[in-house]
Every structure is written in structure tokens, then in C-alpha cells.
Amino acid sequence: MSEPSAPSEQPAEQPRALPLVLSEPRGRKKPPRHLADLTPEERKALAIEAGVPGFRAKQLSTHYFSRLVDDPEQMTDLPAAQREELVSALLPNLMTPLRTLEADKGTTRKTLWKLFDGALVESVLMRYPGRVTMCVSSQAGCGMACPFCATGQGGLQRNMSTAEIVEQVLAGARALDRGEIAGGPGRVSNVVFMGMGEPLANYKAVIGAVRRLTDPAPDGLGMSARGVTVSTVGLVPRIKQLAEEGIPVTLALSLHAPDDELRNELVPINTRFSVAETVEAAWQYAEKTKRRVSIEYAMMRGINDQAWRADLLAEVLNSYGDWGWVHVNLIPLNPTPGSKWTASDPADEREFVRRLESHGIPTTVRDTRGQEIDGACGQLAAAPD
Ligand code: SAH
């Protein structure tokens, strides 16, 4: 989130060219530019600028998004003399896997990635009968400071680029395509922005990534927008903007409390956007996109799991109508090291579900995939060793 800046102390007269230069973050290198950062037109223009025919860009896109090839040796339709140059211009290496952990008999795989500048992020592949979900990071670190979330403790390092976000999905797609994941060759059907970071605080790059994932092949991966879920703490103006994009992704709102007093503590951005404003924005999103919103609610023992809070949550949600605009996804808390919070008692969890359902709110309890590899989304990369 950008805070209003302090009144400028600078002299009124400035050399004209300077503001342009200063608008780039100083002393910080950008991630390598990659074709997944660019629209098909921009890719073509770049190829021409590099002195090769524009159709080479399409060939590279086909290798990347359709054939899931990343080895230049296999790109035999490109002239051998230009191959290296084209690949380094449009398909540079963006990230290196530092560690891979598997669980659930090889159907859950978490990868710790090192980005070009040493920043660490994680992605998780989860295979279920009939679908494969990739959980991706959108920022290295996170600035939202939710006290129960491992990522929130370290602060924000930087935004990820569109291509860095997309490449996490493509790495999973390649592994699946090559039969490296238990269960045989397959495809990524779902992407959830529930890894590190607040996706709506890196809005432009995230929208770019959603477009690359949903653009038809070979311009993009050709996924259905319905298979993409953007999870947010509730940056209200950004939720409104997302509703206007015309890409009907599923919105997940990390509510975690139905009252401002508790939510101010659990999700500090609530001091800026209240429960009422946030839920209203989610409801408007559902109205506009006709997509059912998912309310995320991490169950914390003795903190937010009381029966009366289930009643209050149902009351808040039902005040916007009961046409099925919303469902609640309860997440058993994955305790982070040193945290004072633990998961709810199963009996309290059952009662919470019962109360919500008795008020007509469809409720699911998220399974705890990959818990032993700290792979539960939202608490990634805190302890890489
Ligand atoms: N910043 C976004 C997306 C990342 S986290 C968001 O907040 O929605 C994805 C989900 O995991 C969020 O609902 C988040 O609140 C939840 N989460 C974070 N830490 C968790 C933990 N320790 N146990 C269970 N869920 C957690």
C-alpha cells in the first residue's frame, strides 16, 4: 500500500527529465524481462527490435506455453545460430529451485525458489483426484503483518514480476507434463494466489499473470478464469478495480473475524477498511461477476472460534442477501513457530460449522495438505533451512 508521501521539501525548480528517472526505485535491479511479462504484440515488437522476424516471438511463446519446453536444444524450429540469443532475450532463467519437499505420497510438492536477486519465495503443487492446484506467491515477503501468518512476520521484500508469478505455474505444468508427479502426466487446472504476499498490493503484475494464465495458447496457458482464485486481506479499492477487469476469477477474502475489534488485531489493514466496507466490496464483486466469493476463516483456538462469532459471521454475510453469493472456507490454523495461537478444538470447529450451516451459509473445512512440510498456504518460506 502506498502511504501519502510527506510534503515535498524540494525546491520548486527541477530539471525536466529528472522525475522520470527518479520514478524508478533507485539502486534496485528489476527481474529479467521475459516473454510472460509481455503481451503478444509487445513480444513481437521486441523480436523485431532484436533484429529477428516477428514470428519468432510466437514460436517462443509456443515452446513456453503450449509445448512446455524450456531447453533451447529442443527448439529445433529456431535457427541454431539465433537460438541462444532469442532464448536469453525472451526466455531468461528467472528462478532456481533451492529445495523441493514432497508429502501425501508425492501428490503434494513444495518448491523453495531463489529469485535473481536472492529473494526466496515458495510455490506448492497439490494433486487431487480430477484436479491439480498450484498455490503461488505474488510478493517476496508481505507487508500486511497479520500476526498469525509466518510470511507476515518478515515484512515485504519486493513485488514479484508477472513472469516470476507465471513461471511458478509453468514449472509445475512442466513437472506434471513430464510425469514427475505421482499419478502420471497431467495439467494444472487451478491456480490460487495463496502463497507469499498480498496479490492486490502487487495489482498490475498479478493481473498480468492472470491474463497470461487465461489467454488462449500459445499466447498464454489457456486456463479457465474460473480455475483462478485471488486471495486478499481486503484492499477495498483494488477489489472494486478487479471487478471491472472482466476476468471472472474467484475472489477469496481472508476475513478471519466478523467484528472490527478482533479483525483489527488479526488483519491489521482492517483499521483502514472495516469489516462492513470489506464485506460489501466482496458482495459487489459477487454481484458484478456472478462468481461466488469465498470467505477464508482460519480457526484459532479461543480467539475467533466461539459459537457466537459463527452467528455474527452468518448475520454479517446474510445481511447482503442469501442468494448464495458467498461460502465460508474454514482453515484449521497451522501454528507458526513461537506463535501464541493454536488450532481450534475439533468440537468447537464442528459447532462453528453447524451454526453457519444452520443460518444457510455453505461451509467447507479446508483439508490440511502438506502440513508436515509447512506447505499449508500462507506460511511459506519463513524457515528455509
Ligand atoms: N495475502 C493474501 C494471500 C496469502 S495467504 C491473503 O491474506 O488472503 C492465504 C491464506 O492463508 C489467507 O487466508 C491467510 O490468512 C491464511 N493463513 C496465513 N497464515 C496461516 C496460518 N498460519 N494458518 C492457516 N492459514 C493461514
Side-chain angles (χ1 to χ4, degrees):
M1 297 293 293
S2 56
E3 294 290 335
S5 50
S8 170
E9 300 280 322
Q10 306 208 335
E13 273 186 44
Q14 294 250 344
R16 273 215 190 132
L18 212 55
L20 269 180
V21 178
L22 289 180
S23 66
E24 294 285 318
R26 268 178 291 175
R28 182 179 272 187
K29 277 176 68 185
K30 283 188 171 173
R33 181 185 50 196
H34 185 281
L35 67 79
D37 287 311
L38 307 172
T39 63
E41 299 72 38
E42 290 167 338
R43 292 171 209 168
K44 193 172 166 189
L46 196 75
I48 293 167
E49 201 180 293
V52 298
F55 67 85
R56 297 283 179 226
K58 190 136 199 151
Q59 288 178 308
L60 284 166
S61 300
T62 305
H63 285 303
Y64 186 68
F65 285 116
S66 304
R67 297 187 55 216
L68 305 174
V69 160
D70 58 350
D71 175 7
E73 293 291 305
Q74 290 179 35
M75 303 180 186
T76 50
D77 57 344
L78 301 175
Q82 283 173 9
R83 218 176 278 164
E84 289 295 324
E85 208 178 328
L86 278 167
V87 167
S88 65
L90 278 164
L91 292 172
N93 186 37
L94 295 171
M95 47 184 73
T96 314
L98 279 190
R99 273 176 80 195
T100 301
L101 297 176
E102 287 189 354
D104 307 310
K105 300 197 175 81
T107 57
T108 301
R109 182 196 262 199
K110 179 176 85 162
T111 309
L112 176 64
W113 300 101
K114 187 173 159 192
L115 306 183
F116 85 103
D117 55 355
L120 301 180
V121 298
E122 294 195 12
S123 61
V124 187
L125 181 153
M126 289 160 283
R127 183 172 219 161
Y128 304 89
R131 74 189 154 101
V132 178
T133 299
M134 283 293 310
C135 175
V136 298
S137 298
S138 56
Q139 297 181 312
C142 185
M144 296 298 124
C146 304
F148 59 90
C149 172
T151 309
Q153 307 320 296
L156 176 66
Q157 290 166 56
R158 71 165 169 89
N159 281 333
M160 293 175 73
S161 67
T162 290
E164 286 173 328
I165 298 169
V166 170
E167 174 60 12
Q168 297 169 76
V169 180
L170 267 288
R174 290 192 294 264
L176 273 165
D177 186 58
R178 294 169 195 172
E180 292 168 17
I181 308 294
R187 298 172 66 90
V188 176
S189 53
N190 298 75
V191 170
V192 296
F193 285 83
M194 294 189 181
M196 294 171 77
E198 167 49 44
L200 297 189
N202 184 15
Y203 189 83
K204 210 168 154 236
V206 166
I207 293 297
V210 172
R211 292 202 188 280
R212 296 301 110 72
L213 297 175
T214 56
D215 276 350
D219 293 339
L221 196 57
M223 290 182 60
S224 158
R226 288 166 178 269
V228 178
T229 298
V230 173
S231 179
T232 178
V233 290
L235 304 184
V236 167
R238 296 302 198 193
I239 293 176
K240 292 182 176 167
Q241 200 176 343
L242 186 64
E244 302 297 327
E245 293 286 348
I247 337 173
V249 295
T250 301
L251 180 73
L253 172 63
S254 297
L255 198 63
H256 305 313
D259 51 304
D260 286 319
E261 195 184 350
L262 179 58
R263 194 166 191 267
N264 284 347
E265 188 191 340
L266 297 181
V267 185
I269 196 75
N270 196 73
T271 55
R272 188 118 145 223
F273 306 111
S274 67
V275 168
E277 284 174 280
T278 307
V279 174
E280 173 151 2
W283 170 73
Q284 283 169 351
Y285 186 88
E287 283 263 296
K288 175 99 192 170
T289 62
K290 305 292 170 228
R291 304 284 303 133
R292 187 193 256 187
V293 166
S294 179
I295 299 289
E296 308 293 300
Y297 199 103
M299 294 287 283
M300 307 175 205
R301 184 178 299 204
I303 305 283
N304 65 351
D305 62 354
Q306 306 83 352
W308 70 264
R309 274 206 165 88
D311 292 337
L312 182 59
L313 176 60
E315 194 185 310
V316 169
L317 299 179
N318 280 334
S319 70
Y320 293 93
D322 56 3
W323 51 271
W325 70 276
V326 70
H327 81 275
V328 171
N329 188 24
L330 299 178
I331 317 171
L333 186 79
N334 211 341
T336 58
S339 150
K340 60 178 178 174
W341 291 302
T342 54
S344 295
D345 192 305
D348 293 336
E349 188 179 280
R350 279 195 299 275
E351 180 61 9
F352 206 90
V353 173
R354 197 191 66 74
R355 296 264 180 149
L356 288 174
E357 287 180 339
S358 76
H359 296 295
I361 305 281
T363 305
T364 48
V365 179
R366 182 188 289 175
D367 73 355
T368 47
R369 275 276 181 131
Q371 204 162 39
E372 69 274 30
I373 55 170
D374 284 341
C377 298
Q379 58 164 142
L380 305 172
D385 301 317

mmCIF file of all heavy atoms in Angstrom, residues 10-45:
data_model
loop_
_atom_site.group_PDB
_atom_site.id
_atom_site.type_symbol
_atom_site.label_atom_id
_atom_site.label_comp_id
_atom_site.label_asym_id
_atom_site.label_seq_id
_atom_site.Cartn_x
_atom_site.Cartn_y
_atom_site.Cartn_z
ATOM 1 N N GLN A 10 11.499 19.744 -1.576
ATOM 2 C CA GLN A 10 12.387 20.031 -2.682
ATOM 3 C C GLN A 10 12.121 21.412 -3.261
ATOM 4 O O GLN A 10 10.989 21.895 -3.223
ATOM 5 C CB GLN A 10 12.169 18.985 -3.760
ATOM 6 C CG GLN A 10 12.324 17.601 -3.162
ATOM 7 C CD GLN A 10 12.788 16.594 -4.186
ATOM 8 O OE1 GLN A 10 12.554 16.780 -5.365
ATOM 9 N NE2 GLN A 10 13.427 15.555 -3.727
ATOM 10 N N PRO A 11 13.165 22.055 -3.804
ATOM 11 C CA PRO A 11 12.965 23.340 -4.460
ATOM 12 C C PRO A 11 12.003 23.190 -5.628
ATOM 13 O O PRO A 11 11.900 22.125 -6.231
ATOM 14 C CB PRO A 11 14.370 23.725 -4.955
ATOM 15 C CG PRO A 11 15.167 22.459 -4.924
ATOM 16 C CD PRO A 11 14.552 21.596 -3.885
ATOM 17 N N ALA A 12 11.280 24.255 -5.915
ATOM 18 C CA ALA A 12 10.241 24.179 -6.927
ATOM 19 C C ALA A 12 10.801 23.860 -8.308
ATOM 20 O O ALA A 12 10.188 23.154 -9.082
ATOM 21 C CB ALA A 12 9.478 25.495 -6.969
ATOM 22 N N GLU A 13 12.002 24.404 -8.600
ATOM 23 C CA GLU A 13 12.528 24.194 -9.949
ATOM 24 C C GLU A 13 13.333 22.915 -10.037
ATOM 25 O O GLU A 13 14.259 22.695 -9.270
ATOM 26 C CB GLU A 13 13.396 25.379 -10.353
ATOM 27 C CG GLU A 13 12.555 26.468 -10.976
ATOM 28 C CD GLU A 13 13.396 27.589 -11.528
ATOM 29 O OE1 GLU A 13 14.416 27.298 -12.178
ATOM 30 O OE2 GLU A 13 13.028 28.747 -11.276
ATOM 31 N N GLN A 14 12.951 22.066 -10.968
ATOM 32 C CA GLN A 14 13.627 20.777 -11.141
ATOM 33 C C GLN A 14 13.996 20.634 -12.604
ATOM 34 O O GLN A 14 13.206 21.028 -13.465
ATOM 35 C CB GLN A 14 12.653 19.647 -10.794
ATOM 36 C CG GLN A 14 12.253 19.625 -9.349
ATOM 37 C CD GLN A 14 12.858 18.430 -8.635
ATOM 38 O OE1 GLN A 14 13.318 17.503 -9.267
ATOM 39 N NE2 GLN A 14 12.874 18.482 -7.329
ATOM 40 N N PRO A 15 15.119 20.039 -12.904
ATOM 41 C CA PRO A 15 15.381 19.745 -14.315
ATOM 42 C C PRO A 15 14.276 18.839 -14.842
ATOM 43 O O PRO A 15 13.820 17.947 -14.146
ATOM 44 C CB PRO A 15 16.720 18.991 -14.291
ATOM 45 C CG PRO A 15 17.270 19.174 -12.917
ATOM 46 C CD PRO A 15 16.149 19.551 -12.016
ATOM 47 N N ARG A 16 13.862 19.078 -16.061
ATOM 48 C CA ARG A 16 12.674 18.399 -16.583
ATOM 49 C C ARG A 16 12.770 16.876 -16.600
ATOM 50 O O ARG A 16 11.802 16.184 -16.322
ATOM 51 C CB ARG A 16 12.404 18.872 -18.007
ATOM 52 C CG ARG A 16 11.571 20.114 -17.989
ATOM 53 C CD ARG A 16 10.626 20.119 -19.148
ATOM 54 N NE ARG A 16 10.020 21.440 -19.207
ATOM 55 C CZ ARG A 16 9.920 22.145 -20.300
ATOM 56 N NH1 ARG A 16 10.363 21.659 -21.449
ATOM 57 N NH2 ARG A 16 9.372 23.335 -20.289
ATOM 58 N N ALA A 17 13.905 16.355 -16.988
ATOM 59 C CA ALA A 17 13.995 14.904 -17.201
ATOM 60 C C ALA A 17 14.034 14.130 -15.882
ATOM 61 O O ALA A 17 13.766 12.944 -15.847
ATOM 62 C CB ALA A 17 15.235 14.567 -18.015
ATOM 63 N N LEU A 18 14.343 14.830 -14.799
ATOM 64 C CA LEU A 18 14.644 14.129 -13.556
ATOM 65 C C LEU A 18 13.510 13.265 -12.989
ATOM 66 O O LEU A 18 13.761 12.113 -12.646
ATOM 67 C CB LEU A 18 15.113 15.144 -12.513
ATOM 68 C CG LEU A 18 16.127 14.604 -11.517
ATOM 69 C CD1 LEU A 18 17.323 14.011 -12.254
ATOM 70 C CD2 LEU A 18 16.583 15.701 -10.580
ATOM 71 N N PRO A 19 12.283 13.786 -12.926
ATOM 72 C CA PRO A 19 11.241 12.959 -12.306
ATOM 73 C C PRO A 19 11.089 11.580 -12.941
ATOM 74 O O PRO A 19 10.873 10.603 -12.253
ATOM 75 C CB PRO A 19 9.962 13.788 -12.503
ATOM 76 C CG PRO A 19 10.453 15.191 -12.615
ATOM 77 C CD PRO A 19 11.777 15.096 -13.312
ATOM 78 N N LEU A 20 11.272 11.519 -14.260
ATOM 79 C CA LEU A 20 11.165 10.231 -14.938
ATOM 80 C C LEU A 20 12.195 9.246 -14.404
ATOM 81 O O LEU A 20 11.903 8.098 -14.116
ATOM 82 C CB LEU A 20 11.419 10.423 -16.438
ATOM 83 C CG LEU A 20 10.188 10.687 -17.276
ATOM 84 C CD1 LEU A 20 10.591 10.850 -18.733
ATOM 85 C CD2 LEU A 20 9.211 9.520 -17.139
ATOM 86 N N VAL A 21 13.397 9.739 -14.255
ATOM 87 C CA VAL A 21 14.483 8.886 -13.772
ATOM 88 C C VAL A 21 14.212 8.476 -12.329
ATOM 89 O O VAL A 21 14.357 7.315 -11.963
ATOM 90 C CB VAL A 21 15.839 9.635 -13.871
ATOM 91 C CG1 VAL A 21 16.958 8.779 -13.315
ATOM 92 C CG2 VAL A 21 16.109 10.017 -15.316
ATOM 93 N N LEU A 22 13.735 9.432 -11.548
ATOM 94 C CA LEU A 22 13.532 9.150 -10.121
ATOM 95 C C LEU A 22 12.349 8.219 -9.868
ATOM 96 O O LEU A 22 12.248 7.628 -8.809
ATOM 97 C CB LEU A 22 13.329 10.463 -9.349
ATOM 98 C CG LEU A 22 14.569 11.323 -9.219
ATOM 99 C CD1 LEU A 22 14.238 12.585 -8.432
ATOM 100 C CD2 LEU A 22 15.695 10.581 -8.530
ATOM 101 N N SER A 23 11.455 8.068 -10.874
ATOM 102 C CA SER A 23 10.312 7.214 -10.625
ATOM 103 C C SER A 23 10.694 5.731 -10.563
ATOM 104 O O SER A 23 9.934 4.913 -10.086
ATOM 105 C CB SER A 23 9.227 7.433 -11.686
ATOM 106 O OG SER A 23 9.723 6.996 -12.932
ATOM 107 N N GLU A 24 11.868 5.393 -11.060
ATOM 108 C CA GLU A 24 12.372 4.027 -10.904
ATOM 109 C C GLU A 24 12.958 3.890 -9.504
ATOM 110 O O GLU A 24 13.644 4.776 -9.037
ATOM 111 C CB GLU A 24 13.517 3.771 -11.909
ATOM 112 C CG GLU A 24 13.073 3.793 -13.341
ATOM 113 C CD GLU A 24 12.307 2.529 -13.699
ATOM 114 O OE1 GLU A 24 12.757 1.450 -13.268
ATOM 115 O OE2 GLU A 24 11.270 2.627 -14.361
ATOM 116 N N PRO A 25 12.680 2.773 -8.807
ATOM 117 C CA PRO A 25 13.314 2.614 -7.492
ATOM 118 C C PRO A 25 14.838 2.639 -7.658
ATOM 119 O O PRO A 25 15.376 1.941 -8.507
ATOM 120 C CB PRO A 25 12.830 1.240 -7.023
ATOM 121 C CG PRO A 25 12.005 0.670 -8.105
ATOM 122 C CD PRO A 25 11.869 1.649 -9.214
ATOM 123 N N ARG A 26 15.464 3.497 -6.875
ATOM 124 C CA ARG A 26 16.897 3.668 -7.063
ATOM 125 C C ARG A 26 17.698 2.497 -6.512
ATOM 126 O O ARG A 26 17.353 1.945 -5.478
ATOM 127 C CB ARG A 26 17.365 4.957 -6.403
ATOM 128 C CG ARG A 26 17.330 6.124 -7.381
ATOM 129 C CD ARG A 26 17.742 7.386 -6.717
ATOM 130 N NE ARG A 26 16.743 7.823 -5.743
ATOM 131 C CZ ARG A 26 16.920 8.858 -4.946
ATOM 132 N NH1 ARG A 26 18.060 9.534 -4.972
ATOM 133 N NH2 ARG A 26 15.988 9.214 -4.100
ATOM 134 N N GLY A 27 18.735 2.119 -7.236
ATOM 135 C CA GLY A 27 19.662 1.109 -6.743
ATOM 136 C C GLY A 27 19.081 -0.293 -6.701
ATOM 137 O O GLY A 27 19.663 -1.188 -6.125
ATOM 138 N N ARG A 28 17.921 -0.472 -7.315
ATOM 139 C CA ARG A 28 17.334 -1.810 -7.263
ATOM 140 C C ARG A 28 17.177 -2.336 -8.683
ATOM 141 O O ARG A 28 16.578 -1.701 -9.535
ATOM 142 C CB ARG A 28 15.984 -1.757 -6.572
ATOM 143 C CG ARG A 28 15.361 -3.118 -6.461
ATOM 144 C CD ARG A 28 14.056 -3.037 -5.752
ATOM 145 N NE ARG A 28 14.230 -3.147 -4.312
ATOM 146 C CZ ARG A 28 13.200 -3.229 -3.477
ATOM 147 N NH1 ARG A 28 11.984 -3.184 -3.933
ATOM 148 N NH2 ARG A 28 13.400 -3.357 -2.191
ATOM 149 N N LYS A 29 17.722 -3.523 -8.905
ATOM 150 C CA LYS A 29 17.609 -4.103 -10.244
ATOM 151 C C LYS A 29 16.270 -4.797 -10.396
ATOM 152 O O LYS A 29 15.718 -5.334 -9.453
ATOM 153 C CB LYS A 29 18.743 -5.094 -10.483
ATOM 154 C CG LYS A 29 20.021 -4.395 -10.931
ATOM 155 C CD LYS A 29 21.167 -5.357 -11.075
ATOM 156 C CE LYS A 29 20.974 -6.325 -12.235
ATOM 157 N NZ LYS A 29 22.043 -7.337 -12.295
ATOM 158 N N LYS A 30 15.761 -4.742 -11.607
ATOM 159 C CA LYS A 30 14.476 -5.397 -11.885
ATOM 160 C C LYS A 30 14.718 -6.851 -12.278
ATOM 161 O O LYS A 30 15.756 -7.177 -12.839
ATOM 162 C CB LYS A 30 13.792 -4.697 -13.042
ATOM 163 C CG LYS A 30 13.155 -3.393 -12.678
ATOM 164 C CD LYS A 30 12.338 -2.912 -13.864
ATOM 165 C CE LYS A 30 11.500 -1.719 -13.492
ATOM 166 N NZ LYS A 30 10.834 -1.162 -14.660
ATOM 167 N N PRO A 31 13.725 -7.709 -12.073
ATOM 168 C CA PRO A 31 13.847 -9.087 -12.552
ATOM 169 C C PRO A 31 14.055 -9.097 -14.067
ATOM 170 O O PRO A 31 13.592 -8.184 -14.753
ATOM 171 C CB PRO A 31 12.491 -9.708 -12.199
ATOM 172 C CG PRO A 31 11.912 -8.829 -11.153
ATOM 173 C CD PRO A 31 12.460 -7.466 -11.378
ATOM 174 N N PRO A 32 14.751 -10.127 -14.590
ATOM 175 C CA PRO A 32 14.955 -10.175 -16.038
ATOM 176 C C PRO A 32 13.624 -10.112 -16.775
ATOM 177 O O PRO A 32 12.636 -10.676 -16.320
ATOM 178 C CB PRO A 32 15.598 -11.546 -16.264
ATOM 179 C CG PRO A 32 16.117 -11.984 -14.947
ATOM 180 C CD PRO A 32 15.309 -11.288 -13.895
ATOM 181 N N ARG A 33 13.624 -9.410 -17.902
ATOM 182 C CA ARG A 33 12.398 -9.343 -18.706
ATOM 183 C C ARG A 33 12.205 -10.666 -19.441
ATOM 184 O O ARG A 33 13.156 -11.255 -19.960
ATOM 185 C CB ARG A 33 12.516 -8.200 -19.710
ATOM 186 C CG ARG A 33 11.286 -8.030 -20.561
ATOM 187 C CD ARG A 33 11.509 -6.978 -21.613
ATOM 188 N NE ARG A 33 12.774 -7.256 -22.315
ATOM 189 C CZ ARG A 33 13.393 -6.368 -23.065
ATOM 190 N NH1 ARG A 33 12.927 -5.164 -23.204
ATOM 191 N NH2 ARG A 33 14.528 -6.686 -23.684
ATOM 192 N N HIS A 34 10.971 -11.115 -19.499
ATOM 193 C CA HIS A 34 10.646 -12.452 -20.000
ATOM 194 C C HIS A 34 9.391 -12.318 -20.844
ATOM 195 O O HIS A 34 8.587 -11.415 -20.612
ATOM 196 C CB HIS A 34 10.392 -13.340 -18.774
ATOM 197 C CG HIS A 34 10.160 -14.781 -19.054
ATOM 198 N ND1 HIS A 34 8.957 -15.260 -19.493
ATOM 199 C CD2 HIS A 34 10.970 -15.867 -18.919
ATOM 200 C CE1 HIS A 34 9.034 -16.578 -19.622
ATOM 201 N NE2 HIS A 34 10.248 -16.979 -19.281
ATOM 202 N N LEU A 35 9.201 -13.234 -21.792
ATOM 203 C CA LEU A 35 8.023 -13.069 -22.655
ATOM 204 C C LEU A 35 6.711 -13.104 -21.883
ATOM 205 O O LEU A 35 5.703 -12.516 -22.312
ATOM 206 C CB LEU A 35 8.024 -14.052 -23.830
ATOM 207 C CG LEU A 35 7.870 -15.565 -23.654
ATOM 208 C CD1 LEU A 35 6.416 -15.960 -23.423
ATOM 209 C CD2 LEU A 35 8.381 -16.274 -24.899
ATOM 210 N N ALA A 36 6.717 -13.780 -20.719
ATOM 211 C CA ALA A 36 5.480 -13.826 -19.927
ATOM 212 C C ALA A 36 5.153 -12.474 -19.286
ATOM 213 O O ALA A 36 4.058 -12.287 -18.760
ATOM 214 C CB ALA A 36 5.577 -14.910 -18.854
ATOM 215 N N ASP A 37 6.102 -11.525 -19.314
ATOM 216 C CA ASP A 37 5.797 -10.164 -18.845
ATOM 217 C C ASP A 37 5.036 -9.372 -19.904
ATOM 218 O O ASP A 37 4.490 -8.312 -19.598
ATOM 219 C CB ASP A 37 7.092 -9.388 -18.559
ATOM 220 C CG ASP A 37 7.790 -9.863 -17.311
ATOM 221 O OD1 ASP A 37 7.118 -9.990 -16.272
ATOM 222 O OD2 ASP A 37 9.019 -10.102 -17.371
ATOM 223 N N LEU A 38 5.072 -9.855 -21.124
ATOM 224 C CA LEU A 38 4.658 -9.029 -22.258
ATOM 225 C C LEU A 38 3.396 -9.558 -22.925
ATOM 226 O O LEU A 38 3.128 -10.762 -22.916
ATOM 227 C CB LEU A 38 5.784 -9.016 -23.309
ATOM 228 C CG LEU A 38 7.183 -8.628 -22.808
ATOM 229 C CD1 LEU A 38 8.207 -8.848 -23.912
ATOM 230 C CD2 LEU A 38 7.196 -7.180 -22.336
ATOM 231 N N THR A 39 2.662 -8.640 -23.564
ATOM 232 C CA THR A 39 1.538 -9.055 -24.400
ATOM 233 C C THR A 39 2.123 -9.646 -25.692
ATOM 234 O O THR A 39 3.281 -9.366 -26.027
ATOM 235 C CB THR A 39 0.645 -7.853 -24.761
ATOM 236 O OG1 THR A 39 1.431 -6.942 -25.540
ATOM 237 C CG2 THR A 39 0.126 -7.141 -23.516
ATOM 238 N N PRO A 40 1.327 -10.412 -26.442
ATOM 239 C CA PRO A 40 1.832 -10.963 -27.702
ATOM 240 C C PRO A 40 2.382 -9.874 -28.631
ATOM 241 O O PRO A 40 3.426 -10.073 -29.265
ATOM 242 C CB PRO A 40 0.598 -11.641 -28.311
ATOM 243 C CG PRO A 40 -0.256 -11.992 -27.128
ATOM 244 C CD PRO A 40 -0.016 -10.909 -26.116
ATOM 245 N N GLU A 41 1.728 -8.709 -28.655
ATOM 246 C CA GLU A 41 2.203 -7.615 -29.522
ATOM 247 C C GLU A 41 3.564 -7.111 -29.058
ATOM 248 O O GLU A 41 4.452 -6.825 -29.862
ATOM 249 C CB GLU A 41 1.206 -6.446 -29.530
ATOM 250 C CG GLU A 41 -0.187 -6.773 -30.053
ATOM 251 C CD GLU A 41 -1.021 -7.637 -29.104
ATOM 252 O OE1 GLU A 41 -0.921 -7.421 -27.873
ATOM 253 O OE2 GLU A 41 -1.748 -8.539 -29.567
ATOM 254 N N GLU A 42 3.707 -6.977 -27.747
ATOM 255 C CA GLU A 42 4.992 -6.498 -27.211
ATOM 256 C C GLU A 42 6.111 -7.512 -27.491
ATOM 257 O O GLU A 42 7.249 -7.127 -27.760
ATOM 258 C CB GLU A 42 4.874 -6.254 -25.701
ATOM 259 C CG GLU A 42 4.010 -5.053 -25.337
ATOM 260 C CD GLU A 42 3.644 -5.002 -23.849
ATOM 261 O OE1 GLU A 42 3.686 -6.047 -23.158
ATOM 262 O OE2 GLU A 42 3.300 -3.898 -23.387
ATOM 263 N N ARG A 43 5.792 -8.777 -27.433
ATOM 264 C CA ARG A 43 6.809 -9.815 -27.719
ATOM 265 C C ARG A 43 7.301 -9.688 -29.149
ATOM 266 O O ARG A 43 8.486 -9.774 -29.433
ATOM 267 C CB ARG A 43 6.201 -11.217 -27.538
ATOM 268 C CG ARG A 43 5.865 -11.536 -26.118
ATOM 269 C CD ARG A 43 5.066 -12.851 -26.030
ATOM 270 N NE ARG A 43 4.200 -12.793 -24.866
ATOM 271 C CZ ARG A 43 3.213 -13.644 -24.598
ATOM 272 N NH1 ARG A 43 2.965 -14.656 -25.407
ATOM 273 N NH2 ARG A 43 2.493 -13.505 -23.525
ATOM 274 N N LYS A 44 6.327 -9.482 -30.037
ATOM 275 C CA LYS A 44 6.661 -9.364 -31.464
ATOM 276 C C LYS A 44 7.548 -8.144 -31.691
ATOM 277 O O LYS A 44 8.566 -8.227 -32.382
ATOM 278 C CB LYS A 44 5.356 -9.243 -32.258
ATOM 279 C CG LYS A 44 5.513 -9.432 -33.726
ATOM 280 C CD LYS A 44 4.136 -9.487 -34.372
ATOM 281 C CE LYS A 44 4.268 -9.336 -35.865
ATOM 282 N NZ LYS A 44 2.974 -9.180 -36.525
ATOM 283 N N ALA A 45 7.155 -7.022 -31.082
ATOM 284 C CA ALA A 45 7.929 -5.784 -31.247
ATOM 285 C C ALA A 45 9.354 -5.979 -30.737
ATOM 286 O O ALA A 45 10.313 -5.503 -31.344
ATOM 287 C CB ALA A 45 7.241 -4.639 -30.503
#
